[in-house]
Amino acid sequence: MGRTLFIDPGRCIGCQACVAGCRECDSHRGKSMIHLDYLEEGISAASMPTVCMHCEDPVAPCAQVCPAEAILVTPDGVVHDADKSRCIGCGNCVSACPMGVPKIDLAAKLQFKCNLCYDRTSAGLAPMCATVCPTGALFYGTMDELLADRPNVAVANTFDFDGTIVTTGVAVIVPRDRGDLPVPGGCGHEQPNVLGEPL
Ligand code: SF4
Ligand code: SF4
């Protein structure tokens, strides 16, 4: 991916602006695709927004296990939410995702997840979450643009789930000495994650 999301947990203050912005997106109006976790709720503002990481290697485990071929991966690396006309709500994608991203609407028998605001990003606009985040915890751009804005950061897009390495299109800003190494666990720890430890 050229332009992508960079997530900086160190900047996230848990204000929920990204959640509210995501809810306003035309493609899934009324439902937020961002999961926001509070690391020490009531004690600290430390929090972590989780979006789809658009897995590149292996390519989209969620799509690989879908029996209905409902999850499209476009040549630009974006892993889309389920095609409503195909998804049967089986939840295989939920089990396959190492990051805890897809959810199932049981009533609608339909999966929903972040699609990088494809209606916006395919037209050159930033996703809603990055547009409204007041602290820059969600940055959308190229690596060069990120480094021009924040010259002292390092990023990681490889995650180590107990020996299983997943490389993603979305990246996380990490301490400088971790930029070249896999980061233990994924970004999502809202639900039990059998493959990895929380950040
Ligand atoms: S819930 Fe839908 S998108 Fe997910 S694996 Fe089942 S059919 Fe595919
Ligand atoms: S983070 Fe989860 S939902 Fe997103 S591409 Fe990877 S496996 Fe699929």
Side-chain angles (χ1 to χ4, degrees), residues 62 65-71 82 86-94 104 110-111:
C62 54
V65 301
C66 177
E69 297 187 357
I71 302 171
R86 284 180 168 267
C87 179
I88 54 175
C90 67
N92 278 7
C93 52
V94 176
I104 300 292
L110 181 66
Q111 175 251 45

Side-chain angles (χ1 to χ4, degrees), residues 78-146:
V78 174
V79 181
H80 291 257
D81 51 334
D83 180 336
K84 294 180 180 57
S85 68
R86 284 180 168 267
C87 179
I88 54 175
C90 67
N92 278 7
C93 52
V94 176
S95 303
C97 174
M99 312 291 185
V101 168
K103 304 292 178 198
I104 300 292
D105 182 331
L106 291 174
K109 292 190 172 62
L110 181 66
Q111 175 251 45
F112 60 93
K113 78 168 194 66
C114 157
N115 67 351
L116 201 67
C117 280
Y118 203 62
D119 55 337
R120 295 175 59 83
T121 51
S122 60
L125 299 172
M128 289 294 277
C129 56
T131 304
V132 300
C133 178
T135 64
L138 292 157
F139 180 96
Y140 183 72
T142 63
M143 187 70 196
D144 286 346
E145 288 167 346
L146 177 74

